[in-house]
Amino acid sequence: MIRFDNVSKTFRRNRVLDGISLEIGLGERAALIGSNGAGKTTLIRCLLGEYTHEGEVAVDGKAPRPNRTTVLAAIGFVPQLPPPLKMPVGQLIGFAASLCNSDGERIAELALRLGLDVSKVDAQPFVKLSGGQKQKILIAIALGRDSKVLIMDEPAANLDPEARKIFFELLAERQDSTTMLISSHRLNEVATLVNRVVELDMGRVVLDDCVADDVSLSGLLDCRIEVRRPEPAFVKAVGAWNFRDTGHGLAWEGTVAGPDRLRFIGMLSRYVAIITDISMRERNNEAGNVCVRRVAGS
């Protein structure tokens, strides 16, 4: 679906991309990682037809630059930074739907699944929305078209845990029929979303490898945490993940999306001094049972 053949790009005398060759097939979910300045954003912009470049880029056999309208119609794109659009939300959704022959109602339904009722904000300028609201609309627009390619730059960075859970479910619905390229500064943010990792450094591919693909995008973990005392900061942190108090502030239970397990454990690591036990039960929906994984204990 996506092919880069010896792609290079120079800005003034700065070689930002240096002979990149990659092929990403249908159904592959590739993480594009690297530090600031590694070339990730430039590579994505070449893929979207925004830049001229040396070498060849193709999406489903078509070069993005000369066939930009056709190629962009096949791509769902979620940028890292929301554009500063002043148009009302309702107008933006209508415009986006007409641009790619999709359905505005479908976009609104996807936004609602993510937790945003667009009917309550459709008269507000897009630029005035919160970061999370903007991200939900951009994701809904990208997923609202029947595209074979999804390009996402830090797509879940501004989402709350519940919205992230739904976002992973939406990706799971598309994983067999869509090629996904997910850009991030940190592998741990996207590791459980992908089955391939491509790392850039100084405009070159320094790592291209397959990774374990045994984490379901729609999987869930039932979690229980026990603590020595109910510290206010801890209570606030687990409350943001919709955990409930089941033991006078000393025992907490909730559900975490499978792909979010690293983020969740990272959050808990800040409170290791007061945590006495953590158990995580991975649901196996097909078999109808659970697998118990003891993460920590005393």
Side-chain angles (χ1 to χ4, degrees), residues 67-90:
N67 303 286
R68 199 164 182 213
T69 301
T70 303
V71 170
L72 289 182
I75 294 176
F77 176 51
V78 182
Q80 179 183 9
L81 298 176
L85 300 175
K86 296 182 180 180
M87 69 172 66
V89 170

Side-chain angles (χ1 to χ4, degrees), residues 86-101:
K86 296 182 180 180
M87 69 172 66
V89 170
Q91 184 180 338
L92 172 60
I93 291 175
F95 175 73
S98 64
L99 209 62
C100 54
N101 296 319

Side-chain angles (χ1 to χ4, degrees), residues 118-294:
V118 295
S119 67
K120 296 182 178 179
V121 296
D122 77 338
Q124 293 185 33
F126 178 79
V127 72
K128 296 292 186 181
L129 300 181
S130 69
Q133 289 174 322
K134 291 175 184 175
Q135 197 74 352
K136 290 173 183 178
I137 289 173
L138 293 175
I139 290 172
I141 289 173
L143 297 180
R145 58 175 67 181
D146 293 320
S147 55
K148 293 183 178 180
V149 176
L150 281 174
I151 302 172
M152 299 170 283
D153 197 348
E154 305 279 4
N158 291 317
L159 299 182
D160 57 84
E162 188 61 31
R164 287 171 65 90
K165 189 186 303 181
I166 301 302
F167 173 58
F168 301 143
E169 291 178 3
L170 292 172
L171 292 186
E173 293 171 7
R174 303 280 293 272
Q175 67 182 43
D176 294 328
S177 60
T178 306
T179 299
M180 302 184 194
L181 184 62
I182 306 174
S183 176
S184 179
H185 293 94
R186 298 172 298 276
L187 178 58
N188 63 350
E189 288 289 318
V190 295
T192 50
L193 296 179
V194 301
N195 50 27
R196 181 178 174 186
V197 175
V198 177
E199 182 176 1
L200 301 185
D201 185 36
M202 298 182 68
R204 296 182 179 181
V205 175
V206 295
L207 174 71
D208 183 0
D209 202 3
C210 295
V211 296
D213 190 21
D214 58 354
V215 175
S216 169
L217 292 178
S218 58
L220 296 173
L221 297 167
D222 292 321
C223 306
R224 177 180 172 84
I225 308 165
E226 296 180 9
V227 295
R228 302 180 193 281
R229 55 186 181 277
E231 290 282 356
F234 171 81
V235 172
K236 182 178 179 180
V238 293
W241 287 78
N242 295 323
F243 271 56
R244 61 189 181 280
D245 179 3
T246 61
H248 306 290
L250 301 178
W252 298 80
E253 294 181 354
T255 304
V256 175
D260 244 357
R261 67 183 73 196
L262 290 178
R263 175 184 282 257
F264 178 69
I265 292 172
M267 179 276 292
L268 290 182
S269 68
R270 301 198 297 268
Y271 307 101
V272 65
I274 64 168
I275 294 175
T276 59
D277 190 78
I278 305 171
S279 64
M280 305 180 79
R281 297 174 179 266
E282 188 175 70
R283 295 185 190 177
N284 186 333
N285 294 324
E286 293 180 359
N289 56 20
V290 295
C291 174
V292 179
R293 295 184 178 181
R294 181 69 65 183

